[in-house]
Amino acid sequence: MRATPFLIDGNAETRPLLRLAFNEGFSEQWLQEQLFKNPQSLPFGEINPGYREVVPLCMEMNTSAGPIDIVYVTPQGKLVIVETKLWRNPEARRKVIGQILDYAKELQNWSYSDLQREVSRRTGEKGNVPYALVQNHYPNTDEAEFVDGISNSLAQGDFMLVIAGDGIRSDTQAMIQYLDNTANMKFTLAVIETAVYQTEEQDLTFIQPRTLFQTKEIQRTVYITDFGDTRSPVDNQSTSQPSSLMTQYHQFWKAFIDDLRLDDPDQPMANPIARGNIFFPMPPSSTTAWITLYFYKAKSEIGCFLRLASSEEGLSLYQELKEDAEAINSELPLTVEWDDKNCRIITHRRIEGDWPPVSDPGVKAFFSETLNAFVNAFRPRMERLSSLDS
């Protein structure tokens, strides 16, 4: 049985607050509107101190994955995605978690221009609307830094994802099972219960947010930041399309994955994205180990590396692999470097000529042969070491 909160008026009289069910006088749209107008009511800063200050951008922002209920942003350019739901059953839980992850994956392919365009559509305002909304609350916000912050947030999938609503039941394991296919993203996910109460006279309504579940923010990938072309904020706002370089990378990765044939049939495939690198999850999980294939424009370089997370488990696995380095080096048909500082084993090749070298058949062959060799050498070892540690 739930406790009953109450109000105390100026005459020391108490008024009980009665909790409303989701079918008793309020809807998802009503809840969405209240949370949009009152972002301070949600405990963003308690979940992650980097999100203490947020500004509402818009509601129902259109994406190819569907409209996002609420979008907020910090003055530093970190995005918050909120999905408001009145959950009625476990199936609703599965759908809403999948939906908010789809939104995040879609946004990772966006540029700042895409965000500006869609916020402008929803608000009916022109110009750099996201920046104007933030500057209205925080006048000292620097435009170039703000645009760069959002661009980085989008590229890395670095968001706060929040599911807010009533009828929620927390089941940590059920939540976590949906997150393992997000190896190329960095985000915090939180589930917030927003219980709704009213006085008996129905003249006052009270919303009580409570965090039921949150993930720790985990760096699942290593991004080399100068894969792309460098453009000024003005240039970045001039087009709603991804840059030509990112489009070429995306087309290359899609064709590469379609044609890829590995010796190991159980190796999960990467998600081809409009970036200069893609990621293949490795045992024991995508948050602990992954293989990266990359284009590195600043050094005219392509490469491949196995990376272990800087967690206790990741460090332990790297050291165990390092102890077997002589056998691994002799097994691999290429020369690798053991990068102890970053817990990775890497090989790379310098590219001559125009960039990007996406039409060079040698590049595709390098990626295919190197990835296959890495999977053959490391995947069985990682599975064995993981089973010994479990």
mmCIF file of all heavy atoms in Angstrom, residues 213-249:
data_model
loop_
_atom_site.group_PDB
_atom_site.id
_atom_site.type_symbol
_atom_site.label_atom_id
_atom_site.label_comp_id
_atom_site.label_asym_id
_atom_site.label_seq_id
_atom_site.Cartn_x
_atom_site.Cartn_y
_atom_site.Cartn_z
ATOM 1 N N PHE A 213 15.677 3.960 -12.189
ATOM 2 C CA PHE A 213 16.767 3.205 -12.806
ATOM 3 C C PHE A 213 17.631 4.164 -13.590
ATOM 4 O O PHE A 213 17.132 5.093 -14.224
ATOM 5 C CB PHE A 213 16.171 2.145 -13.752
ATOM 6 C CG PHE A 213 17.172 1.500 -14.678
ATOM 7 C CD1 PHE A 213 17.876 0.382 -14.288
ATOM 8 C CD2 PHE A 213 17.397 2.013 -15.957
ATOM 9 C CE1 PHE A 213 18.789 -0.220 -15.149
ATOM 10 C CE2 PHE A 213 18.310 1.418 -16.819
ATOM 11 C CZ PHE A 213 19.004 0.300 -16.402
ATOM 12 N N GLN A 214 18.941 3.961 -13.533
ATOM 13 C CA GLN A 214 19.830 4.727 -14.390
ATOM 14 C C GLN A 214 21.080 3.912 -14.665
ATOM 15 O O GLN A 214 21.506 3.095 -13.838
ATOM 16 C CB GLN A 214 20.218 6.069 -13.766
ATOM 17 C CG GLN A 214 21.139 5.962 -12.551
ATOM 18 C CD GLN A 214 21.435 7.316 -11.948
ATOM 19 O OE1 GLN A 214 20.580 7.918 -11.306
ATOM 20 N NE2 GLN A 214 22.652 7.783 -12.140
ATOM 21 N N THR A 215 21.636 4.099 -15.850
ATOM 22 C CA THR A 215 22.906 3.471 -16.184
ATOM 23 C C THR A 215 24.007 4.446 -15.845
ATOM 24 O O THR A 215 23.789 5.651 -15.739
ATOM 25 C CB THR A 215 22.993 3.135 -17.675
ATOM 26 O OG1 THR A 215 22.953 4.354 -18.427
ATOM 27 C CG2 THR A 215 21.856 2.224 -18.099
ATOM 28 N N LYS A 216 25.214 3.896 -15.669
ATOM 29 C CA LYS A 216 26.385 4.756 -15.607
ATOM 30 C C LYS A 216 26.775 5.101 -17.028
ATOM 31 O O LYS A 216 26.599 4.301 -17.939
ATOM 32 C CB LYS A 216 27.543 4.048 -14.896
ATOM 33 C CG LYS A 216 27.296 3.787 -13.409
ATOM 34 C CD LYS A 216 28.513 3.154 -12.786
ATOM 35 C CE LYS A 216 28.291 2.856 -11.320
ATOM 36 N NZ LYS A 216 28.100 4.062 -10.523
ATOM 37 N N GLU A 217 27.293 6.304 -17.212
ATOM 38 C CA GLU A 217 27.738 6.697 -18.553
ATOM 39 C C GLU A 217 29.004 5.933 -18.870
ATOM 40 O O GLU A 217 29.982 6.005 -18.144
ATOM 41 C CB GLU A 217 27.995 8.196 -18.606
ATOM 42 C CG GLU A 217 28.351 8.698 -19.996
ATOM 43 C CD GLU A 217 28.548 10.186 -20.010
ATOM 44 O OE1 GLU A 217 27.572 10.935 -20.099
ATOM 45 O OE2 GLU A 217 29.723 10.588 -19.913
ATOM 46 N N ILE A 218 28.977 5.160 -19.947
ATOM 47 C CA ILE A 218 30.088 4.294 -20.298
ATOM 48 C C ILE A 218 30.625 4.705 -21.661
ATOM 49 O O ILE A 218 29.867 4.842 -22.612
ATOM 50 C CB ILE A 218 29.650 2.819 -20.348
ATOM 51 C CG1 ILE A 218 29.112 2.383 -18.974
ATOM 52 C CG2 ILE A 218 30.799 1.916 -20.778
ATOM 53 C CD1 ILE A 218 28.485 1.006 -18.994
ATOM 54 N N GLN A 219 31.933 4.899 -21.735
ATOM 55 C CA GLN A 219 32.552 5.154 -23.028
ATOM 56 C C GLN A 219 32.719 3.812 -23.726
ATOM 57 O O GLN A 219 33.581 3.012 -23.395
ATOM 58 C CB GLN A 219 33.915 5.824 -22.867
ATOM 59 C CG GLN A 219 34.638 6.072 -24.183
ATOM 60 C CD GLN A 219 33.978 7.135 -25.022
ATOM 61 O OE1 GLN A 219 33.725 8.228 -24.537
ATOM 62 N NE2 GLN A 219 33.701 6.822 -26.269
ATOM 63 N N ARG A 220 31.850 3.527 -24.686
ATOM 64 C CA ARG A 220 31.869 2.224 -25.343
ATOM 65 C C ARG A 220 32.835 2.193 -26.521
ATOM 66 O O ARG A 220 33.159 1.135 -27.016
ATOM 67 C CB ARG A 220 30.460 1.871 -25.843
ATOM 68 C CG ARG A 220 29.497 1.601 -24.703
ATOM 69 C CD ARG A 220 28.103 1.395 -25.266
ATOM 70 N NE ARG A 220 27.199 0.928 -24.234
ATOM 71 C CZ ARG A 220 26.617 1.702 -23.349
ATOM 72 N NH1 ARG A 220 26.862 2.997 -23.357
ATOM 73 N NH2 ARG A 220 25.805 1.205 -22.430
ATOM 74 N N THR A 221 33.253 3.343 -27.010
ATOM 75 C CA THR A 221 34.101 3.367 -28.191
ATOM 76 C C THR A 221 35.158 4.434 -28.034
ATOM 77 O O THR A 221 35.094 5.282 -27.151
ATOM 78 C CB THR A 221 33.285 3.709 -29.444
ATOM 79 O OG1 THR A 221 32.749 5.027 -29.288
ATOM 80 C CG2 THR A 221 32.142 2.746 -29.651
ATOM 81 N N VAL A 222 36.133 4.367 -28.888
ATOM 82 C CA VAL A 222 37.154 5.411 -28.938
ATOM 83 C C VAL A 222 37.012 6.128 -30.267
ATOM 84 O O VAL A 222 37.178 5.520 -31.324
ATOM 85 C CB VAL A 222 38.569 4.809 -28.811
ATOM 86 C CG1 VAL A 222 39.618 5.892 -28.970
ATOM 87 C CG2 VAL A 222 38.725 4.111 -27.472
ATOM 88 N N TYR A 223 36.692 7.400 -30.244
ATOM 89 C CA TYR A 223 36.559 8.178 -31.471
ATOM 90 C C TYR A 223 37.830 8.985 -31.697
ATOM 91 O O TYR A 223 38.343 9.614 -30.781
ATOM 92 C CB TYR A 223 35.383 9.162 -31.365
ATOM 93 C CG TYR A 223 34.060 8.525 -31.632
ATOM 94 C CD1 TYR A 223 33.400 7.835 -30.626
ATOM 95 C CD2 TYR A 223 33.479 8.594 -32.892
ATOM 96 C CE1 TYR A 223 32.188 7.235 -30.875
ATOM 97 C CE2 TYR A 223 32.267 7.999 -33.141
ATOM 98 C CZ TYR A 223 31.616 7.327 -32.131
ATOM 99 O OH TYR A 223 30.418 6.723 -32.377
ATOM 100 N N ILE A 224 38.347 8.935 -32.921
ATOM 101 C CA ILE A 224 39.444 9.810 -33.306
ATOM 102 C C ILE A 224 38.790 11.021 -33.944
ATOM 103 O O ILE A 224 38.119 10.918 -34.955
ATOM 104 C CB ILE A 224 40.397 9.090 -34.281
ATOM 105 C CG1 ILE A 224 40.936 7.816 -33.614
ATOM 106 C CG2 ILE A 224 41.538 9.988 -34.695
ATOM 107 C CD1 ILE A 224 41.804 6.965 -34.507
ATOM 108 N N THR A 225 38.958 12.173 -33.344
ATOM 109 C CA THR A 225 38.029 13.270 -33.589
ATOM 110 C C THR A 225 38.214 13.965 -34.929
ATOM 111 O O THR A 225 37.348 14.697 -35.344
ATOM 112 C CB THR A 225 38.159 14.325 -32.486
ATOM 113 O OG1 THR A 225 39.529 14.753 -32.431
ATOM 114 C CG2 THR A 225 37.764 13.745 -31.149
ATOM 115 N N ASP A 226 39.347 13.774 -35.607
ATOM 116 C CA ASP A 226 39.508 14.536 -36.843
ATOM 117 C C ASP A 226 39.320 13.668 -38.077
ATOM 118 O O ASP A 226 39.956 13.861 -39.089
ATOM 119 C CB ASP A 226 40.865 15.244 -36.880
ATOM 120 C CG ASP A 226 42.022 14.266 -36.844
ATOM 121 O OD1 ASP A 226 41.802 13.069 -36.590
ATOM 122 O OD2 ASP A 226 43.152 14.720 -37.076
ATOM 123 N N PHE A 227 38.402 12.681 -38.018
ATOM 124 C CA PHE A 227 38.064 11.933 -39.219
ATOM 125 C C PHE A 227 37.439 12.846 -40.274
ATOM 126 O O PHE A 227 37.637 12.682 -41.452
ATOM 127 C CB PHE A 227 37.039 10.835 -38.906
ATOM 128 C CG PHE A 227 37.624 9.681 -38.176
ATOM 129 C CD1 PHE A 227 36.872 9.016 -37.232
ATOM 130 C CD2 PHE A 227 38.912 9.265 -38.420
ATOM 131 C CE1 PHE A 227 37.405 7.937 -36.565
ATOM 132 C CE2 PHE A 227 39.443 8.186 -37.751
ATOM 133 C CZ PHE A 227 38.688 7.520 -36.822
ATOM 134 N N GLY A 228 36.617 13.803 -39.812
ATOM 135 C CA GLY A 228 35.825 14.598 -40.742
ATOM 136 C C GLY A 228 36.525 15.856 -41.189
ATOM 137 O O GLY A 228 37.591 16.216 -40.714
ATOM 138 N N ASP A 229 35.867 16.534 -42.114
ATOM 139 C CA ASP A 229 36.369 17.832 -42.533
ATOM 140 C C ASP A 229 36.020 18.841 -41.459
ATOM 141 O O ASP A 229 35.091 18.690 -40.713
ATOM 142 C CB ASP A 229 35.775 18.258 -43.879
ATOM 143 C CG ASP A 229 34.259 18.160 -43.913
ATOM 144 O OD1 ASP A 229 33.692 17.602 -42.960
ATOM 145 O OD2 ASP A 229 33.664 18.642 -44.886
ATOM 146 N N THR A 230 36.822 19.914 -41.363
ATOM 147 C CA THR A 230 36.577 20.931 -40.356
ATOM 148 C C THR A 230 35.866 22.092 -41.002
ATOM 149 O O THR A 230 36.337 22.666 -41.988
ATOM 150 C CB THR A 230 37.913 21.414 -39.738
ATOM 151 O OG1 THR A 230 38.757 21.863 -40.795
ATOM 152 C CG2 THR A 230 38.603 20.273 -39.012
ATOM 153 N N ARG A 231 34.725 22.459 -40.436
ATOM 154 C CA ARG A 231 33.930 23.546 -40.997
ATOM 155 C C ARG A 231 33.546 24.500 -39.879
ATOM 156 O O ARG A 231 33.414 24.118 -38.737
ATOM 157 C CB ARG A 231 32.661 23.006 -41.659
ATOM 158 C CG ARG A 231 32.931 22.144 -42.873
ATOM 159 C CD ARG A 231 31.644 21.644 -43.466
ATOM 160 N NE ARG A 231 30.972 20.730 -42.565
ATOM 161 C CZ ARG A 231 29.738 20.292 -42.753
ATOM 162 N NH1 ARG A 231 29.036 20.706 -43.778
ATOM 163 N NH2 ARG A 231 29.199 19.441 -41.900
ATOM 164 N N SER A 232 33.344 25.745 -40.236
ATOM 165 C CA SER A 232 32.926 26.728 -39.257
ATOM 166 C C SER A 232 31.463 26.521 -38.926
ATOM 167 O O SER A 232 30.742 25.869 -39.669
ATOM 168 C CB SER A 232 33.119 28.139 -39.833
ATOM 169 O OG SER A 232 32.189 28.348 -40.884
ATOM 170 N N PRO A 233 30.963 27.061 -37.796
ATOM 171 C CA PRO A 233 29.550 26.945 -37.490
ATOM 172 C C PRO A 233 28.658 27.480 -38.604
ATOM 173 O O PRO A 233 27.591 26.941 -38.864
ATOM 174 C CB PRO A 233 29.407 27.765 -36.204
ATOM 175 C CG PRO A 233 30.754 27.703 -35.567
ATOM 176 C CD PRO A 233 31.720 27.702 -36.710
ATOM 177 N N VAL A 234 29.101 28.533 -39.281
ATOM 178 C CA VAL A 234 28.285 29.069 -40.368
ATOM 179 C C VAL A 234 28.170 28.056 -41.495
ATOM 180 O O VAL A 234 27.099 27.795 -42.031
ATOM 181 C CB VAL A 234 28.881 30.395 -40.887
ATOM 182 C CG1 VAL A 234 28.135 30.860 -42.122
ATOM 183 C CG2 VAL A 234 28.824 31.451 -39.796
ATOM 184 N N ASP A 235 29.317 27.449 -41.869
ATOM 185 C CA ASP A 235 29.286 26.423 -42.907
ATOM 186 C C ASP A 235 28.408 25.259 -42.494
ATOM 187 O O ASP A 235 27.681 24.697 -43.281
ATOM 188 C CB ASP A 235 30.702 25.892 -43.180
ATOM 189 C CG ASP A 235 31.603 26.950 -43.789
ATOM 190 O OD1 ASP A 235 31.054 27.860 -44.430
ATOM 191 O OD2 ASP A 235 32.824 26.876 -43.612
ATOM 192 N N ASN A 236 28.477 24.900 -41.214
ATOM 193 C CA ASN A 236 27.730 23.741 -40.725
ATOM 194 C C ASN A 236 26.237 23.966 -40.782
ATOM 195 O O ASN A 236 25.460 23.021 -40.863
ATOM 196 C CB ASN A 236 28.166 23.435 -39.282
ATOM 197 C CG ASN A 236 27.946 21.984 -38.920
ATOM 198 O OD1 ASN A 236 28.028 21.116 -39.777
ATOM 199 N ND2 ASN A 236 27.679 21.734 -37.649
ATOM 200 N N GLN A 237 25.808 25.214 -40.737
ATOM 201 C CA GLN A 237 24.389 25.514 -40.759
ATOM 202 C C GLN A 237 23.863 25.675 -42.185
ATOM 203 O O GLN A 237 22.671 25.782 -42.404
ATOM 204 C CB GLN A 237 24.120 26.816 -40.007
ATOM 205 C CG GLN A 237 24.460 26.738 -38.527
ATOM 206 C CD GLN A 237 24.522 28.104 -37.917
ATOM 207 O OE1 GLN A 237 23.817 29.026 -38.337
ATOM 208 N NE2 GLN A 237 25.352 28.284 -36.918
ATOM 209 N N SER A 238 24.758 25.684 -43.164
ATOM 210 C CA SER A 238 24.338 26.032 -44.518
ATOM 211 C C SER A 238 23.680 24.892 -45.263
ATOM 212 O O SER A 238 23.118 25.095 -46.314
ATOM 213 C CB SER A 238 25.560 26.508 -45.308
ATOM 214 O OG SER A 238 26.502 25.446 -45.434
ATOM 215 N N THR A 239 23.769 23.664 -44.732
ATOM 216 C CA THR A 239 23.179 22.528 -45.423
ATOM 217 C C THR A 239 22.569 21.581 -44.437
ATOM 218 O O THR A 239 23.055 21.429 -43.335
ATOM 219 C CB THR A 239 24.251 21.795 -46.261
ATOM 220 O OG1 THR A 239 23.653 20.608 -46.795
ATOM 221 C CG2 THR A 239 25.457 21.372 -45.415
ATOM 222 N N SER A 240 21.490 20.932 -44.839
ATOM 223 C CA SER A 240 20.830 19.955 -43.987
ATOM 224 C C SER A 240 21.357 18.554 -44.239
ATOM 225 O O SER A 240 20.898 17.601 -43.629
ATOM 226 C CB SER A 240 19.316 19.981 -44.247
ATOM 227 O OG SER A 240 19.042 19.624 -45.589
ATOM 228 N N GLN A 241 22.324 18.411 -45.167
ATOM 229 C CA GLN A 241 22.844 17.104 -45.515
ATOM 230 C C GLN A 241 24.158 16.844 -44.792
ATOM 231 O O GLN A 241 24.894 17.766 -44.443
ATOM 232 C CB GLN A 241 23.061 17.029 -47.028
ATOM 233 C CG GLN A 241 21.801 17.236 -47.844
ATOM 234 C CD GLN A 241 20.758 16.181 -47.546
ATOM 235 O OE1 GLN A 241 21.073 15.008 -47.417
ATOM 236 N NE2 GLN A 241 19.518 16.593 -47.418
ATOM 237 N N PRO A 242 24.498 15.548 -44.545
ATOM 238 C CA PRO A 242 25.813 15.228 -44.001
ATOM 239 C C PRO A 242 26.892 15.726 -44.955
ATOM 240 O O PRO A 242 26.673 15.883 -46.155
ATOM 241 C CB PRO A 242 25.791 13.695 -43.924
ATOM 242 C CG PRO A 242 24.359 13.307 -43.966
ATOM 243 C CD PRO A 242 23.668 14.364 -44.759
ATOM 244 N N SER A 243 28.096 15.949 -44.428
ATOM 245 C CA SER A 243 29.183 16.393 -45.290
ATOM 246 C C SER A 243 29.482 15.345 -46.345
ATOM 247 O O SER A 243 29.184 14.158 -46.195
ATOM 248 C CB SER A 243 30.437 16.656 -44.447
ATOM 249 O OG SER A 243 30.982 15.420 -44.011
ATOM 250 N N SER A 244 30.101 15.787 -47.426
ATOM 251 C CA SER A 244 30.455 14.872 -48.508
ATOM 252 C C SER A 244 31.361 13.760 -47.999
ATOM 253 O O SER A 244 31.213 12.593 -48.384
ATOM 254 C CB SER A 244 31.150 15.641 -49.629
ATOM 255 O OG SER A 244 31.651 14.762 -50.619
ATOM 256 N N LEU A 245 32.291 14.106 -47.109
ATOM 257 C CA LEU A 245 33.210 13.105 -46.570
ATOM 258 C C LEU A 245 32.459 12.042 -45.777
ATOM 259 O O LEU A 245 32.675 10.839 -45.964
ATOM 260 C CB LEU A 245 34.256 13.786 -45.691
ATOM 261 C CG LEU A 245 35.309 12.864 -45.071
ATOM 262 C CD1 LEU A 245 36.124 12.174 -46.164
ATOM 263 C CD2 LEU A 245 36.213 13.642 -44.125
ATOM 264 N N MET A 246 31.539 12.492 -44.891
ATOM 265 C CA MET A 246 30.798 11.529 -44.082
ATOM 266 C C MET A 246 29.879 10.657 -44.943
ATOM 267 O O MET A 246 29.691 9.470 -44.672
ATOM 268 C CB MET A 246 29.983 12.264 -43.007
ATOM 269 C CG MET A 246 30.839 12.993 -41.997
ATOM 270 S SD MET A 246 31.983 11.881 -41.150
ATOM 271 C CE MET A 246 33.343 12.993 -40.809
ATOM 272 N N THR A 247 29.321 11.240 -45.985
ATOM 273 C CA THR A 247 28.481 10.461 -46.906
ATOM 274 C C THR A 247 29.303 9.381 -47.598
ATOM 275 O O THR A 247 28.852 8.236 -47.750
ATOM 276 C CB THR A 247 27.840 11.384 -47.945
ATOM 277 O OG1 THR A 247 27.004 12.339 -47.287
ATOM 278 C CG2 THR A 247 26.998 10.587 -48.927
ATOM 279 N N GLN A 248 30.516 9.727 -47.999
ATOM 280 C CA GLN A 248 31.380 8.734 -48.648
ATOM 281 C C GLN A 248 31.769 7.621 -47.680
ATOM 282 O O GLN A 248 31.795 6.443 -48.062
ATOM 283 C CB GLN A 248 32.630 9.421 -49.201
ATOM 284 C CG GLN A 248 32.351 10.337 -50.386
ATOM 285 C CD GLN A 248 33.615 10.982 -50.901
ATOM 286 O OE1 GLN A 248 34.422 10.347 -51.583
ATOM 287 N NE2 GLN A 248 33.794 12.257 -50.564
ATOM 288 N N TYR A 249 32.070 8.002 -46.436
ATOM 289 C CA TYR A 249 32.367 6.967 -45.432
ATOM 290 C C TYR A 249 31.169 6.030 -45.259
ATOM 291 O O TYR A 249 31.305 4.809 -45.209
ATOM 292 C CB TYR A 249 32.683 7.613 -44.085
ATOM 293 C CG TYR A 249 34.029 8.272 -43.973
ATOM 294 C CD1 TYR A 249 34.229 9.364 -43.126
ATOM 295 C CD2 TYR A 249 35.128 7.811 -44.692
ATOM 296 C CE1 TYR A 249 35.459 9.966 -42.999
ATOM 297 C CE2 TYR A 249 36.376 8.418 -44.574
ATOM 298 C CZ TYR A 249 36.532 9.494 -43.723
ATOM 299 O OH TYR A 249 37.756 10.093 -43.602
#
